[in-house]
Amino acid sequence: MSQLTSALHWLVSLPRRMMTGKTVRHMRPTLDLMDTGHSTDNHLMVQFFEWESLPPPGVSWWKHFENQVPYLASLGCTQVWLPPPNKAMVKEGRGYDAYDLLLNSWDLGEFDQKGTVATRWGTKEELLSCIRTAKSHGIDILIDAVLNHKLGADRKERFMAVECDPDNRLKELGPARQIEGWTAFDFRGRGDKYSSMKWNHSHFTGLDWDASARKKGIYRIVGKGRKGWSKKVDTELGNYDYLLGIDIDFRHPDVRKDFLAWGPWVLQETGAAGYRLDACKHIDRDFLREFVKTGRGTPGFERAFVVAEFWIDSAPSIEKYMGLLDAPVSMFDVPLHYNFHRAYKQGHSYDLRTILEGGLVSSRPRDAVTFVDNHDTAIGCSLESWVGKEFKPIAYALVLLRPEGHPCVYHADLYGPEAIPELPTLMKVRKQQAYGTCTDYFKDNHNCVAFVRHGDASHAGSGCVVLCANAKPGERQFTKDISVGQEHAGSVWKNVFKEEKVTVDATGQGTFTCPARGISVWIKDI
């Protein structure tokens, strides 16, 4: 939910120190502190929505998801990131335009507010039902926590504010003046159930619309007791506290009290296993640290899974943020996504041997949640950086079949007209074969890389050979001599995508092939 930003390369040379005095490299890997699944099999997250997602006729999105749970489990899915379950400002809202949110909301589709009881995705009962079904199939649910802002107020208020430069939020464009803003939230449909707090302008730092002057801008609310923009946020645009809508002041004691009550409540109320934290560049770090601590302090949720969106194409910058946050929070690997995007755009001129370089998965593999695309990177969306369909088999082979990172599959790549045909097979190979140590074959050709997973004793028949190539279409196929290990001498390996087999010699070596542009994945023919 943040704007694109250039990488801060100078951070590479700086000591990455936490405010507590620790160094990032001495932090314990966050994924080791979380429950990522309930078995010894590989774990896998699926983002089960898109920006324009609509369910099949006659069912809600929650019911549609519930119907898909057995299929997802068969593919090896162990976690699902669902869309924000809170009531939005309009009936069709996705939940990022949060109304009764107090983050992801006290209204999960239960009260008649904003012209509807159900959210875009369904009713609260349907949400609880799909979560119960998912858990019965070994799938944990992550709540998309949109904490940063609110929209769709019930009433306008008048207050003092100063207009700020959109390109430098620390620069004032004139003196303070009275403006009118949509900042009062009454929640008449919910009343005082779950929370008695009613929001007004004192709970916000800024907004982008003066209703009296009918003028758009970035307005910082001022007055007695106001602290201005939070200083514990990203420094892009001078200060990146403000993103959109009505920006919440996380330093206000009433705000903190209500948010910190909501965090444990939503886990206990729904049975979810953790959070996806939206737009973290814009949220006060001290509050976010306390929010995570409070959620994980709830009995039964001490190892709750938490992943944060901190959108920047720089692993050192993400690592710096991790150190400042100082909380058990994994991070989406945005730099790796951009590697995939650049590889797609550059075609055969891209050096595949560098595809993992600069990703968080290379520097902090047990902190990285890897992904290929999401709802914000799609064409026409706020962070457009789409990875084309022809490159996605390579990208997914790298995130699903290698040992590093915690992968996330995007709904649009698994369902619908743009689905990747190879993806269900890759997910099954991850579930059944992608185990054991990994040996890379990355050096000899910039258009073709390969790696071997050698298998382990806990998964009978495990092990796989993976080749990826991005040469010009129509060129001859690649061949690579690859050792799968002498323990596999004489074994036969089959290509999961075509009728093709390789017999390994007495030394454990075989000659494996790959199309000029695409992937081949080989498993034991048992």
Side-chain angles (χ1 to χ4, degrees):
M1 297 294 291
S2 307
Q3 297 178 359
L4 293 175
T5 180
S6 59
L8 304 178
H9 296 296
W10 56 271
L11 284 170
V12 176
S13 62
L14 294 178
R16 303 172 204 160
R17 301 198 63 83
M18 297 167 55
M19 296 180 71
T20 58
K22 302 175 184 176
T23 59
V24 173
R25 64 177 176 271
H26 291 151
M27 290 173 60
R28 186 175 174 187
T30 54
L31 290 170
D32 294 344
L33 303 174
M34 303 176 186
D35 285 332
T36 55
H38 303 286
S39 74
T40 59
D41 293 344
N42 284 323
H43 304 139
L44 175 61
M45 183 191 303
V46 171
Q47 179 188 351
F48 198 84
F49 68 98
E50 305 164 36
W51 195 251
E52 299 296 339
S53 287
L54 290 172
V59 298
S60 70
W61 188 257
W62 297 145
K63 184 62 179 176
H64 169 55
F65 164 61
E66 186 170 9
N67 292 339
Q68 291 298 307
V69 162
Y71 174 63
L72 293 170
S74 74
L75 298 181
C77 172
T78 58
Q79 279 179 331
V80 166
W81 158 21
L82 290 177
N86 52 277
K87 187 66 57 67
M89 66 178 290
V90 295
K91 182 176 180 180
E92 298 79 15
R94 284 88 175 159
Y96 294 100
D97 48 339
Y99 167 66
D100 185 5
L101 110 202
L102 220 15
L103 70 106
N104 260 32
S105 138
W106 299 101
D107 185 357
L108 305 177
E110 181 179 2
F111 304 101
D112 189 355
Q113 299 188 111
K114 295 300 174 181
T116 179
V117 173
T119 69
R120 177 187 179 93
W121 314 108
T123 66
K124 179 181 178 180
E125 278 307 309
E126 289 171 325
L127 171 64
L128 300 185
S129 177
C130 75
I131 292 176
R132 287 192 297 267
T133 298
K135 291 172 69 174
S136 73
H137 285 76
I139 297 175
D140 286 337
I141 298 300
L142 301 182
I143 295 291
D144 198 337
V146 184
L147 315 178
N148 180 70
H149 53 271
K150 294 174 75 67
L151 288 163
D154 298 308
R155 292 182 290 110
K156 292 181 287 188
E157 297 179 297
R158 300 189 70 85
F159 43 84
M160 298 297 290
V162 60
E163 187 173 0
C164 299
D165 187 336
D167 298 320
N168 180 1
R169 310 298 174 72
L170 300 178
K171 180 181 178 182
E172 299 180 356
L173 298 181
R177 61 182 177 85
Q178 190 176 76
I179 70 170
E180 189 175 41
W182 289 91
T183 52
F185 294 77
D186 300 323
F187 310 125
R188 293 187 182 95
R190 173 169 60 81
D192 291 340
K193 187 173 182 179
Y194 303 130
S195 169
S196 61
M197 181 178 173
K198 306 296 185 279
W199 291 67
N200 59 60
H201 66 85
S202 69
H203 302 122
F204 302 103
T205 60
L207 66 165
D208 63 357
W209 179 251
D210 177 1
S212 59
R214 300 191 61 79
K215 182 182 178 185
K216 187 172 179 61
I218 305 297
Y219 299 97
R220 189 182 78 247
I221 301 173
V222 298
K224 185 177 180 180
R226 297 286 186 174
K227 299 179 181 179
W229 305 126
S230 168
K231 296 179 175 60
K232 302 293 182 68
V233 295
D234 194 67
T235 57
E236 187 179 349
L237 303 180
N239 177 287
Y240 220 175
D241 188 357
Y242 186 83
L243 173 62
L244 59 88
I246 315 168
D247 189 70
I248 294 172
D249 187 352
F250 295 100
R251 298 158 299 182
H252 194 292
D254 293 342
V255 170
R256 297 177 76 90
K257 179 181 177 181
D258 231 23
F259 268 109
L260 296 177
W262 183 90
W265 173 84
V266 77
L267 296 180
Q268 294 173 314
E269 187 78 3
T270 64
Y275 315 106
R276 178 259 183 185
L277 302 177
D278 182 65
C280 290
K281 292 176 78 170
H282 316 279
I283 299 174
D284 184 277
R285 291 187 298 268
D286 289 349
F287 162 77
L288 207 54
R289 183 185 310 114
E290 189 175 3
F291 177 80
V292 172
K293 180 180 179 181
T294 302
R296 288 170 59 96
T298 306
F301 296 92
E302 293 84 358
R303 290 179 56 85
F305 189 96
V306 186
V307 58
E309 178 209 51
F310 187 86
W311 198 268
I312 190 168
D313 184 11
S314 167
S317 296
I318 294 174
E319 292 178 32
K320 179 185 178 184
Y321 175 77
M322 291 172 60
L324 293 170
L325 183 61
D326 189 17
V329 176
S330 60
M331 308 295 294
F332 282 112
D333 195 345
V334 177
L336 182 64
H337 157 76
Y338 277 109
N339 283 358
F340 293 152
H341 175 65
R342 284 186 284 267
Y344 157 62
K345 299 294 283 187
Q346 295 174 23
H348 66 272
S349 64
Y350 186 88
D351 188 344
L352 273 185
R353 296 172 296 186
T354 67
I355 191 72
L356 302 176
E357 293 179 5
L360 189 65
V361 76
S362 292
S363 58
R364 299 280 303 182
R366 293 295 296 163
D367 295 301
V369 175
T370 55
F371 68 103
V372 178
D373 269 316
N374 67 27
H375 62 298
D376 282 330
T377 66
I379 295 171
C381 292
S382 60
L383 300 172
E384 181 178 330
S385 47
W386 192 244
V387 179
K389 192 171 184 177
E390 57 268 39
F391 190 80
K392 279 189 172 172
I394 294 176
Y396 274 114
L398 291 168
V399 300
L400 291 174
L401 304 184
R402 295 182 63 81
E404 309 93 353
H406 183 81
C408 179
V409 168
Y410 181 40
H411 183 274
D413 295 333
L414 189 59
Y415 294 92
E418 295 302 312
I420 309 306
E422 299 91 341
L423 185 51
T425 299
L426 290 173
M427 293 168 72
K428 288 181 180 179
V429 172
R430 174 177 176 80
K431 178 182 180 182
Q432 298 167 355
Q433 277 90 23
Y435 298 96
T437 57
C438 183
T439 301
D440 288 337
Y441 290 77
F442 271 42
K443 292 183 179 180
D444 59 339
N445 193 302
H446 78 278
N447 284 133
C448 184
V449 298
F451 58 92
V452 182
R453 298 297 301 276
H454 292 281
D456 64 23
S458 300
H459 298 87
S462 60
C464 59
V465 177
V466 183
L467 287 81
C468 307
N470 69 338
K472 292 181 180 179
E475 288 194 3
R476 293 168 59 182
Q477 69 177 8
F478 289 95
T479 61
K480 279 186 179 285
D481 293 331
I482 293 174
S483 174
V484 297
Q486 195 163 7
E487 66 274 18
H488 298 297
S491 59
V492 177
W493 295 64
K494 63 180 180 181
N495 188 337
V496 299
F497 294 118
K498 61 186 294 188
E499 292 294 327
E500 191 175 10
K501 296 184 179 181
V502 168
T503 300
V504 173
D505 66 20
T507 69
Q509 183 165 290
T511 300
F512 296 86
T513 62
C514 179
R517 194 172 187 84
I519 62 173
S520 65
V521 177
W522 304 76
I523 63 174
K524 280 186 181 180
D525 187 18
I526 300 176

